[in-house]
Every structure is written in C-alpha cells, then in structure tokens.
Amino acid sequence: MTPRYLVIPKAIAACTVLLLAHALTANVVTAGNAMTVTTQSGESFGGDFAGIGDDSMLIIVDGAERAIPFSELQSLTPDDVASETGPAFRVTLVDGSRIAAQDISLDESGVVIEPRRQRTIRADLRKVKAIRFRASATTTDAQWLGLLEKESRGDVMVIRRPGDKLDPTSGIVEAIADAKVTFNLDGDTVAAPMDKLEGVIFGSTASVSDDAEIRIVDVYGSQWSVQSLSPSEPGQPLKLTLSSGLQHELPLGQIASMKLSSGMMMLATEKPAAASMTTYIETNVDAGLIDAFLGPAASGDADLAINGGGKIEYRVAEGFETISGTVVRSNKTKIASGVTVRVTLDGKTVWEESLTDTEPRGFEIPIASARRVAIEVDCQDDGDLGDMVTILRPRLLK
C-alpha cells in the first residue's frame, strides 16, 4: 500500500528549510541591486547591495558577502539607474541638502516637504534656507544662487518679473499653502500666488553648508547631505541621518549615486597655479609690482578679490566634481563702468555674467574631466574704474 504522506527525517527537514531561507535571502540581496563600488584606493568592482552594517557597507561579490568600511569607500553607483523627471520645487536645507518636492507647506509648526514616492519630511524652519518654486534655468540661476549668499535681516520673497528678472522683497513669510505664500510686508499681509514667484529665502537661518561626509543623489534630482547611515537589511530603504539631524528613508531603487568621501577645497586658502593682472592703460611699471599690488588676492578667510583685468587659476585635484561660488561688485567704489566675470575650465568659458550693479550672481558648475579652473574679471572697453569684484566662497566640491 502506497503511503499517503512522506515522512522526512527532522535533520533533512531542517537542512531543507535553511537552504530555502538562504535561497530566498539571496534573491532579496541580488534582485535589482547591482552596484559598482569604488574604494578610496581606486579599486573598482561590481556587486550586489546587501545592507548596511554598524560601520560598513555590505556587498555580495562573486557570491560572498564583503563588508567594506565606510572609511574605505569613495562611491557607489547602481548599474541600472531609472530615468525620472523630478518635481519643480526645490527645498534647500542649511546642511546643503536640496530636496525635490511635489508639494510644500509652511505653518507655525514648521515646513512640510513631500518628496515623490518617499516619506513626508517635517522640518523646523531653522533647518530650511530656501524654497524655490521653479525649475533651474540658465536665465535665472545666477540671480537665485546669488540671493542665497546675500545677507538679509528678514525673509525674502523673490518675485519673477518679465524678462526673467528676479526682484527680492524683504518681509516675513507667515505661511505657505494652497499655492500661495502669505507674506507680511511692513505690517501688511499679502497672499502672493506661487506662479508669480521664484521662491522664498529665510533670513534667520545660517548659510548653506557644503561639507557633508556622505552625499546621495536620487533619481528625482534630490541631493542629500548625510551625516550617517543606520544599519539596514537587504532590500530595505536606506536610513539616513542628514547633517541637519533630520531622519529620512530612501528606497534603494531611487538611488542615482552615493559619494562617501567628503571634500571641499576653499580656493582662497589654496596656492594658485597662476595669477596675473593686465591694466586697462599700459604703463612702464614692472609687471611683478602690478601683480603684487593690484593682482588677485585672498580677501578674509574664504573670499577672493579681483580687479578688472585680473585672472587667477587653480589646478583641480582628482575627485572634485563641482566649482561653486558667488560674484559681486565691491560697494567700496562707485560703479562707473561695465565688468564681466568669467569662469573657465581648461581655457573654455563655462560661465559668464556682466555685472552692472551690486547684486550678487552665483554659479554651480560641473567640472567633468577638467584639470584647471580659472576666474577672470574683464573690464570690457569702457575703462576699469570701479571694477573690483569679490568672489564669495569660491570652492571645489567632491
């Protein structure tokens, strides 16, 4: 008689369960989490993300789990990055994070940020530097980035005027809701439609930091400045503690890149590869003497001062990816002529702004494979009177 049930010895049953559990775990580890890992020593290899340990990242390499200490990691990039269109709103935190959000609100309890397909973030207003309601554009980026560096006693509502002109107005942002900004202007409250604004900048917050230990970019364009990663299991979202102290979770499938090597080089503290000064009117004065007295020089701890006709150039060390800074004409001299500031990479102009007033203009430029970066001030053809320009916090970022 054929038995209706097959009796399996306990030892064999236990082994079968373990093998099945291992197979299921392996599927979780390897499914859709293929990564390219680069270490600080320059080693690069492929593997599958297998979670976060206390002080290391776990990667499956050739079927074996490998724990790589964070201190030895340089970058991690998914092999298959989804192409997504991010929402237009951008929230800049004081820790340097820039969050792409599909909805934003503000009341007395703080700022509510809703990233796409991620958990809602609730932040104290002191952790938020600015909210931009429009997408980045070459016609307005320099003005917007310049306003972020400009000191203000109160909040700033930035109105978008015809001709892509940004008009900052000081006051107090009281609320953001229903596509409107409630703004107190000299005691009068107005409800400004978002579609008439470029954004708002909060005056009571500190300047934006760029020195995060870990930087993560997601597929929607958010840039997360991360202080630490908490332990997580395979297939689970990354648990982030931002440099501002905020907690967030980021699904693995939304990671576009991760940089684990902090790095910021303030150009004002570095020795330039070259610096020169060409006066508008030719003289018989020794060129070395002109460079010493009128050439580009550090101004304070972080800025550069460049007169019209001046140029300063720096070598770009391996690993740096962006040059950032803000330019503004000196208010110590009367503006009597036009002046143009250029940023060049390996001799090619990548950014140029003509300054006709004392409003700041900012730049954030990818370096790509360039090995030299230069900043020059052109006094144009109308003389160099009043052509002193200050470059605020010019820096290279990894």
Side-chain angles (χ1 to χ4, degrees), residues 329-370:
R329 293 191 71 157
S330 173
N331 57 11
K332 296 179 181 180
T333 58
K334 183 177 180 180
I335 295 176
S337 59
V339 61
T340 298
V341 182
R342 296 188 186 92
V343 177
T344 65
L345 295 175
D346 290 343
K348 181 180 179 181
T349 298
V350 293
W351 186 88
E352 180 176 287
E353 279 288 320
S354 294
L355 308 181
T356 58
D357 51 35
T358 57
E359 290 300 311
R361 302 290 189 273
F363 56 86
E364 287 181 355
I365 306 166
I367 292 174
S369 59

Side-chain angles (χ1 to χ4, degrees), residues 219-278:
V219 295
Y220 297 112
S222 293
Q223 302 173 41
W224 304 93
S225 296
V226 181
Q227 182 182 71
S228 63
L229 296 169
S230 299
S232 62
E233 297 296 324
Q236 296 300 309
L238 287 185
K239 298 177 181 179
L240 318 179
T241 298
L242 303 184
S243 299
S244 58
L246 292 173
Q247 306 289 319
H248 189 55
E249 292 187 355
L250 187 62
L252 294 176
Q254 294 184 23
I255 298 174
S257 67
M258 182 189 303
K259 305 289 183 182
L260 292 102
S261 53
S262 64
M264 179 173 66
M265 178 187 291
M266 301 299 294
L267 296 183
T269 63
E270 297 294 317
K271 182 179 179 180
S276 62
M277 176 66 194
T278 302

Side-chain angles (χ1 to χ4, degrees), residues 27 64 70 120 122 134 141 157 169 219 229 278 285 383:
N27 286 336
F70 291 136
T120 297
R122 300 179 183 275
R134 296 175 183 244
D141 281 351
M157 180 173 66
T169 301
V219 295
L229 296 169
T278 302
V285 179

Side-chain angles (χ1 to χ4, degrees), residues 50-110:
I52 300 292
D54 290 333
D55 57 3
S56 62
M57 185 167 293
L58 308 178
I59 305 292
I60 301 296
V61 182
D62 296 330
E65 186 176 274
R66 179 175 172 183
I68 307 170
F70 291 136
S71 59
E72 297 180 10
L73 279 170
Q74 183 181 70
S75 66
L76 183 147
T77 306
D79 292 348
D80 185 16
V81 179
S83 178
E84 301 285 354
T85 300
F89 292 169
R90 288 292 188 276
V91 181
T92 299
L93 303 183
V94 295
D95 66 13
S97 296
R98 292 170 172 84
I99 306 171
Q102 59 188 17
D103 198 12
I104 300 164
S105 62
L106 167 67
D107 56 27
E108 62 277 0
S109 64

